[in-house]
Amino acid sequence: MNVIFLQGGLGNQMFQYAFYLALKHKHFDVECDISMLLHQKQHNGYELSRLFGIQLNKDCYLFNIVRLYYYCRTHQNNLLCSVILNILRRMNYELVLDTAPSSFFSDIVKTRKNLFLGYWQSEFFFKEIKNDIFHAFTFKIELLSLKTLSVLEDIKRGNSVSVHIRRGDYLLPENLQLYGNICTIEYYQKALTVICERVSQPSFFVFSNDIAWVK
């Protein structure tokens, strides 16, 4: 049995679920595990059910081993990481983190018994089933609030442009040096200028976890 451990926020969960569908398409015996999202409550927890009606209930008994591995990896305890990997191998599992898309399927197909960990942020992993992905990630109208439906109608009426401004955890000391130097005010100003040059009468819809700062 292959196991994909879902983690992170909505975008990462979508990548990981798309990865799962791609493996199913390749006839892998594979399941998704949402234990990390249920136990750690990262960001908003498991969101694929709330937004897309995707139900994933598997809770793998290997979760605690994987959680310990991540802890050791984060704290650069290479010795314990090696011990955990050896235990998994004795259980006939291999741990596969994010890998280069060009080599992915050739690497995975060799064993077909793995624990898949990572974010899989490339369409390479699922480009063969784009239509299936589009269908899976179509927002369910019945799940949308009246306020959201109203905004949706506004979006449909004009040349709408989505602007995503993420702050929140990007401002934490461990993230600020990297992300704080990427998502700058200058970056957004340049992006808006480019859009205005290419799109006639654009309407900007801003999505952010810090609306006060955006205003």
Side-chain angles (χ1 to χ4, degrees), residues 37-126:
L37 298 172
L38 296 178
H39 289 77
Q40 297 176 336
K41 299 293 184 183
Q42 294 178 331
H43 301 290
N44 294 319
Y46 178 59
E47 294 202 89
L48 299 184
S49 174
R50 179 173 63 88
L51 296 175
F52 305 117
I54 297 173
Q55 301 296 333
L56 297 172
N57 299 314
K58 183 172 176 59
D59 191 355
C60 181
Y61 69 93
L62 294 169
F63 164 69
N64 286 324
I65 296 178
V66 173
R67 193 174 183 182
L68 178 60
Y69 174 80
Y70 257 132
Y71 178 84
C72 295
R73 187 165 176 255
T74 300
H75 291 81
Q76 299 181 335
N77 191 324
N78 296 327
L79 177 60
L80 272 179
C81 283
S82 297
V83 171
I84 294 169
L85 291 176
N86 187 52
I87 292 173
L88 289 171
R89 291 190 188 103
R90 290 177 179 273
M91 299 170 67
N92 205 23
Y93 280 101
E94 290 288 338
L95 193 62
V96 180
L97 302 174
D98 273 338
T99 184
S102 59
S103 64
F104 168 68
F105 281 115
S106 60
D107 291 343
I108 298 301
V109 168
K110 291 177 183 177
T111 60
R112 287 197 171 241
K113 282 196 174 182
N114 295 275
L115 297 172
F116 300 110
L117 290 162
Y119 295 105
W120 316 107
Q121 295 167 332
S122 171
E123 69 167 353
F124 178 90
F125 298 118
F126 49 82

Side-chain angles (χ1 to χ4, degrees), residues 138-203:
T138 299
F139 287 102
K140 310 304 180 187
I141 295 298
E142 64 272 17
L143 298 178
L144 303 182
S145 68
L146 292 177
K147 185 174 182 179
T148 299
L149 289 172
S150 175
V151 174
L152 178 59
E153 290 305 312
D154 291 339
I155 290 174
K156 290 179 179 179
R157 274 194 283 269
N159 294 328
S160 300
V161 180
S162 171
V163 182
H164 174 234
I165 298 180
R166 176 173 174 178
R167 285 168 58 78
D169 60 329
Y170 273 17
L171 303 181
L172 295 175
E174 60 268 27
N175 296 331
L176 185 59
Q177 184 174 358
L178 174 60
Y179 300 119
N181 294 325
I182 296 175
C183 302
T184 62
I185 292 179
E186 290 76 19
Y187 166 82
Y188 288 109
Q189 288 173 334
K190 289 179 180 178
L192 295 178
T193 298
V194 170
I195 292 296
C196 288
E197 292 172 351
R198 299 184 181 184
V199 179
S200 175
Q201 295 182 316
S203 295

